[in-house]
Amino acid sequence: MLDRHTIDTVKSTLPLLAEAGPALTAHFYQRMFHHNPELKEVFNLSHQHSGRQPAALFDAIAAYGTHLEDLSVLTAAVERIAHKHTGFLIEPAQYAIVGEHLLATLRELGGEAVTDEVIEAWGKAYGVLAQIFIDREAALYQQAAEQSGGWQGTRPFRIQAKIAESALITSFELVPVDGGAVPNYQPGQYLSLKLTHPSLPHTEYRQYSLSEQSNGERLRITVKRDGQVSSLLHDQFQPGDVLEVIPPAGDFVLATDADKPVTLISAGVGITPMWAMLETRLGQSAAPTHWLHACDNGEHHALKAALQGKLAQSPMLQSVVWYRQPNADDRLGLDYHFTGLMQVGDVADALPLEGDFYLCGPQPFMATVVEQLRQLGVADSRIHYELFGPHQAL
């Protein structure tokens, strides 16, 4: 544990961090990549360019410094980040590198206020946090390796099938090259790929939601064409090709009791973890399940035919779909029910507002929907969500 003097010293610098803002973490990343370019393989550079990763790291540092007396407040955040880290095969030694550059950044940007005493205090505080992550990630690695069909590191999987789900979204069904067992996973978790290809300047890690319920036979991911790596998967990787796969991970999972109602809400490719939840839910529960989805139009409506099949088989499943700009051949009342952006209030009377709500989609979409749910009286404790990429509060 940290002593009182260290805690007070760290907290005294929080106004300095607030003044610097995400520029501090942007400088940190630039510094680290300059001195340790090998870490470019670990961090998604598109999130660097968008500013999402520096902003997320700044928020994490500020939260950690604020709650040094009671780190249990950060348990959920630590769990989420630790799962993400296992998908990048983060090793304990890398925490030392990150710590070195964080402290150097504080010294370089903090001016006279950042004394040796401040650096020492932040060094101690960072050491405690790093050990929390190292210990939790070690446990997750061990858990993934010891379960039936599990492994640690990467394992080669062959693309068994490649299925176009919409104009921009394609599913990849993967089976292990060694013919061994496939581990079970929880609905909502994701799979990580370690990708190398002549067109890529360095190894890339990407995480994609598992888009069907666990079946012990294969792993299916569903990928939107959105950037260099996802386009590479769409264009270059075909059935028979082999991908290096990292075990399933993620803490955004369906955790509602089978006898309680659930509403699954998604937009665009955010449908992918929701679909695994839906399949699992329908196989386990006779309670009401509501499915709300938004996309541009029928051309971009992934898994539309599969949804119609579920509706025909499951009387306790209710679906409402919003098309932002329907095409001429999209059928109101059949393919979709509302035009424009999702407005949960349109169907609030039919929703079990006392139940749990699971959301996935673009950040602006989810921020809007979360606010709509709050206005309808849904408690934050019953709103669960996943952001693709660095996590942000909504």
Side-chain angles (χ1 to χ4, degrees):
M1 297 297 294
L2 296 171
D3 60 85
R4 185 73 252 172
H5 179 70
T6 296
I7 292 173
D8 290 343
T9 302
V10 168
K11 287 200 163 190
S12 72
T13 65
L14 293 181
L16 176 66
L17 296 184
E19 182 179 351
L24 183 145
T25 47
H27 178 87
F28 155 76
Y29 280 115
Q30 292 171 2
R31 189 185 202 284
M32 184 174 65
F33 291 148
H34 174 73
H35 290 282
N36 296 91
E38 72 277 7
L39 292 182
K40 289 181 179 180
E41 295 188 355
V42 175
F43 293 87
N44 185 329
L45 295 184
S46 67
H47 294 155
Q48 302 296 322
H49 299 148
S50 70
R52 292 179 63 192
Q53 188 72 56
L57 179 60
F58 172 79
D59 290 343
I61 292 172
Y64 177 58
T66 301
H67 297 290
L68 285 176
E69 290 100 338
D70 182 14
L71 295 180
S72 64
V73 174
L74 304 178
T75 298
V78 167
E79 186 70 6
R80 182 181 307 114
I81 295 169
H83 275 273
K84 290 282 188 183
H85 284 179
T86 64
F88 293 102
L89 302 180
I90 296 298
E91 300 174 354
Q94 291 169 323
Y95 281 96
I97 297 173
V98 169
E100 173 192 343
H101 293 295
L102 276 174
L103 296 180
T105 296
L106 282 174
R107 189 179 291 278
E108 290 166 1
L109 295 190
E112 296 181 357
V114 179
T115 63
D116 289 344
E117 183 180 28
V118 168
I119 293 298
E120 181 181 0
W122 268 104
K124 290 180 180 179
Y126 175 79
V128 169
L129 181 63
Q131 196 60 51
I132 290 172
F133 278 111
I134 289 169
D135 292 344
R136 181 58 186 139
E137 288 157 21
L140 290 173
Y141 285 133
Q142 182 176 3
Q143 178 183 328
E146 292 180 350
Q147 67 175 314
S148 176
W151 72 95
Q152 186 166 347
T154 64
R155 182 181 178 190
F157 274 68
R158 181 173 291 107
I159 300 174
Q160 176 179 256
K162 185 177 175 182
I163 304 160
E165 305 287 5
S166 75
L168 293 177
I169 296 174
T170 294
S171 290
F172 297 79
E173 296 179 357
L174 311 176
V175 294
V177 171
D178 59 22
V182 173
N184 290 323
Y185 56 86
Q186 298 183 72
Q189 290 193 302
Y190 48 80
L191 200 64
S192 298
L193 304 181
K194 180 181 179 181
L195 292 161
T196 56
H197 191 269
S199 66
L200 298 174
H202 46 73
T203 299
E204 295 277 3
Y205 292 83
R206 288 294 186 273
Q207 297 170 332
Y208 299 106
S209 296
L210 288 151
S211 59
E212 65 180 354
Q213 65 178 327
S214 182
N215 55 41
E217 298 178 358
R218 67 188 184 205
L219 300 173
R220 187 180 80 174
I221 57 172
T222 301
V223 179
K224 179 182 178 182
R225 181 191 292 273
D226 182 23
Q228 181 184 22
V229 175
S230 59
S231 295
L232 181 68
L233 284 170
H234 277 245
D235 297 336
Q236 300 297 325
F237 285 87
Q238 304 299 332
D241 290 340
V242 173
L243 296 170
E244 292 296 317
V245 176
I246 298 165
D251 69 326
F252 174 66
V253 297
L254 180 66
T256 300
D257 292 340
D259 61 346
K260 294 183 178 179
V262 161
T263 301
L264 306 175
I265 304 177
S266 59
V269 76
I271 195 173
T272 52
M274 298 293 102
W275 192 260
M277 291 185 183
L278 179 65
E279 288 190 334
T280 304
R281 169 80 175 175
L282 295 180
Q284 298 176 347
S285 174
T289 299
H290 290 258
W291 175 265
L292 310 184
H293 181 65
C295 58
D296 282 348
N297 47 53
E299 185 180 4
H300 294 90
H301 189 173
L303 300 166
K304 179 171 66 174
L307 176 62
Q308 295 301 323
K310 297 294 184 188
L311 290 167
Q313 298 167 6
S314 308
M316 296 305 290
L317 173 63
Q318 301 295 321
S319 169
V320 183
V321 174
W322 283 256
Y323 281 179
R324 189 173 62 87
Q325 292 181 318
N327 290 325
D329 56 350
D330 290 332
R331 301 165 297 174
L332 180 63
L334 294 175
D335 299 317
Y336 71 103
H337 306 90
F338 293 96
T339 300
L341 302 179
M342 181 182 293
Q343 299 294 327
V344 180
D346 292 341
V347 294
D349 291 344
L351 294 180
L353 297 179
E354 74 284 0
D356 282 339
F357 292 76
Y358 293 82
L359 297 76
C360 189
Q363 193 274 341
F365 162 81
M366 289 202 294
T368 299
V369 171
V370 165
E371 182 57 32
Q372 292 175 19
L373 292 174
R374 288 170 176 160
Q375 291 177 2
L376 292 171
V378 180
D380 282 357
S381 61
R382 291 187 284 108
I383 302 173
H384 318 278
Y385 62 89
E386 173 85 323
L387 280 172
F388 294 149
H391 193 80
Q392 296 172 263
L394 296 180

